[in-house]
Amino acid sequence: MDFPPLAWQGLVVLVVFGVSLLIATYSTYAERVIAAFLQDRVGPDRAGPFGLAQPLADAVKLFTKEEFFPAGANRALFVFGPCLAMITALMSSAVIPFGNVLQFGDNIIHLQGIEINVGMLYVFGMVSLGVYGIMIGGWASNNKFSLLGAIRAASQNISYEIAMGLALIAVLMISNTLSLREITFQQASDAPFVWNDIFNWNVMKQPLGFIIFIVCAFAETNRTPFDLPECETELIGGYHTEYSSMKMGLYLFAEYINVFVASAVMSVLYFGGFNFPFQYELRNWLVSSQGLELVTAQNIITILGVVGLFAKIFSFIFFFMWVRWTLPRFRYDQLMRLGWTILIPLAIFNILLTGGLITFGVIK
């Protein structure tokens, strides 16, 4: 039975949102397990086998905790803040290409919620709007510590978005497009050697840009060592000090979804997205040696590409958590100095270097 293309894409959007929520949910479990491993202690092991039901227990706890509104708080904005943070985090994943296409008869399914030719600008726009959720929540709490956390979040995000945008410009100079899907396709290679596949990834052409981008990603997601908006040693709990129940849960979920989205964007921009070595050779082998139809072989390659992309994403998520439980938190002046006096000049230098290499034909 043939379904309208819009129905298929609507289903893909729902799946993307569902996967984002599921990964965010179990990222909380992974955070605890990795922290326990790095600190040589027992992690979650009571709720379900190996503690796998711990995220469900946390959800029940958050939903059933007492609602709390501080005296003097703006009740409407107090609720709107975490909702905005969650909505913008979920919307950021809509333009990420999680795979190529699946074809079943006349039905062609693009494994991407929405394909627009300015996909990277869309992600930046959603990330920029996300900070409003933190700012509104901190201001509406009527708490000076929450307000300080909100101010820190705003200045931190603005500062590091500049360096991140400049790092992205160097990638755009090579790809000449803002479409994440097109950037992914440009990193594919049909050369018969694994190193040709990997050297076609943008991380090989933009190593400095990638380092700048990943450092800024830590700051944009408010992860340690850049978690100054919620610095408990200085601000009690920062922008979400006054929050309880599921409103607090929305802020926590938004942070983990942002980590997932940042990992996916870095995988697409710098590590080939859903491309993997020998994908074309494997497809041709399935057709010639195994007697599969080209459409079936391509579907298999697409599914393997999705698995490969999520392997890259989970590697980055692990790196985010590894760094959190390894490095100490920066002072606020150190954080701002790093952004303005080191990363931004480095990003400008990277643009000039990329322009020179393109001019002389070293990279294309």
Side-chain angles (χ1 to χ4, degrees):
M1 180 179 179
D2 291 338
F3 289 95
L6 188 61
W8 283 115
Q9 287 310 116
L11 179 62
V12 170
V13 170
L14 291 177
V15 170
V16 169
F17 285 173
V19 169
S20 300
L21 288 171
L22 181 65
I23 290 177
T25 300
Y26 273 90
S27 290
T28 62
Y29 171 78
E31 183 96 71
R32 292 184 171 105
V33 171
I34 292 171
F37 174 75
L38 293 176
Q39 296 172 353
D40 194 20
R41 58 179 175 82
V42 178
D45 64 347
R46 300 297 180 89
F50 305 105
L52 288 172
Q54 186 64 50
L56 302 179
D58 291 337
V60 172
K61 178 189 71 173
L62 289 170
F63 273 112
T64 55
K65 284 185 73 173
E66 180 184 0
E67 288 281 353
F68 175 79
F69 290 91
N74 187 314
R75 294 174 72 94
L77 292 180
F78 191 75
V79 174
F80 181 66
C83 294
L84 179 61
M86 188 67 175
I87 291 171
T88 54
L90 282 172
M91 291 177 65
S92 301
S93 61
V95 297
I96 296 173
F98 291 100
N100 202 339
V101 296
L102 291 173
Q103 184 172 351
F104 301 101
D106 294 331
N107 298 310
I108 298 177
I109 307 170
H110 295 271
L111 300 185
Q112 180 181 13
I114 305 168
E115 164 55 16
I116 51 178
N117 58 2
V118 289
M120 199 56 233
L121 284 183
Y122 173 88
V123 173
F124 263 70
M126 289 298 105
V127 170
S128 300
L129 286 176
V131 72
Y132 282 98
I134 297 176
M135 291 177 61
I136 290 172
W139 181 83
S141 297
N142 193 33
N143 180 309
K144 63 181 179 182
F145 295 109
S146 299
L147 180 59
L148 284 173
I151 294 172
R152 284 184 172 188
S155 57
Q156 174 176 317
N157 279 261
I158 291 171
S159 302
Y160 281 82
E161 275 179 8
I162 296 173
M164 180 181 279
L166 292 173
L168 176 64
I169 287 175
V171 175
L172 303 182
M173 291 170 66
I174 299 173
S175 59
N176 292 313
T177 179
L178 283 163
S179 168
L180 291 173
R181 191 171 191 84
E182 185 62 31
I183 291 174
T184 302
F185 283 137
Q186 290 179 7
Q187 296 177 77
S189 173
D190 56 0
F193 298 103
V194 63
W195 292 114
N196 287 333
D197 288 314
I198 294 177
F199 274 113
N200 213 46
W201 293 353
N202 285 333
V203 68
M204 296 298 178
K205 304 173 184 178
Q206 287 290 313
L208 178 58
F210 167 68
I211 293 172
I212 296 170
F213 197 96
I214 193 171
V215 172
C216 293
F218 274 90
E220 292 294 306
T221 54
N222 298 325
R223 296 283 298 184
T224 307
F226 299 97
D227 61 336
L228 275 298
E230 53 190 84
C231 178
E232 68 275 2
T233 56
E234 300 172 19
L235 303 180
I236 307 176
Y239 65 91
H240 54 57
T241 296
E242 300 289 356
Y243 279 90
S244 65
S245 187
M246 200 55 204
K247 297 191 294 298
M248 174 70 170
L250 290 178
Y251 272 130
L252 299 180
F253 268 66
E255 177 181 317
Y256 284 107
I257 293 175
N258 285 328
V259 169
F260 165 65
V261 171
S263 301
V265 168
M266 287 187 290
S267 299
V268 169
L269 286 180
Y270 293 100
F271 285 84
F274 51 74
N275 297 304
F276 61 93
F278 300 120
Q279 57 184 349
Y280 296 115
E281 288 80 5
L282 178 58
R283 183 192 63 187
N284 296 335
W285 177 79
L286 290 172
V287 172
S288 61
S289 300
Q290 302 302 308
L292 297 180
E293 294 183 357
L294 181 60
V295 172
T296 305
Q298 183 59 51
N299 287 343
I300 293 174
I301 297 300
T302 297
I303 294 172
L304 291 177
V306 174
V307 173
L309 175 59
F310 275 95
K312 299 171 188 177
I313 292 172
F314 292 151
S315 298
F316 277 118
I317 292 176
F318 170 75
F319 183 70
F320 272 94
M321 296 176 180
W322 183 14
V323 169
R324 173 178 180 177
W325 298 104
T326 304
L327 297 181
R329 179 184 294 119
F330 288 160
R331 293 198 317 265
Y332 191 70
D333 62 308
Q334 292 173 330
L335 178 142
M336 298 303 290
R337 188 181 305 117
L338 174 64
W340 286 99
T341 66
I342 297 177
L343 291 184
I344 291 178
L346 270 179
I348 294 173
F349 168 76
N350 186 53
I351 292 175
L352 297 175
L353 178 62
T354 302
L357 294 176
I358 293 174
T359 300
F360 292 104
V362 178
I363 57 175
K364 299 179 181 179

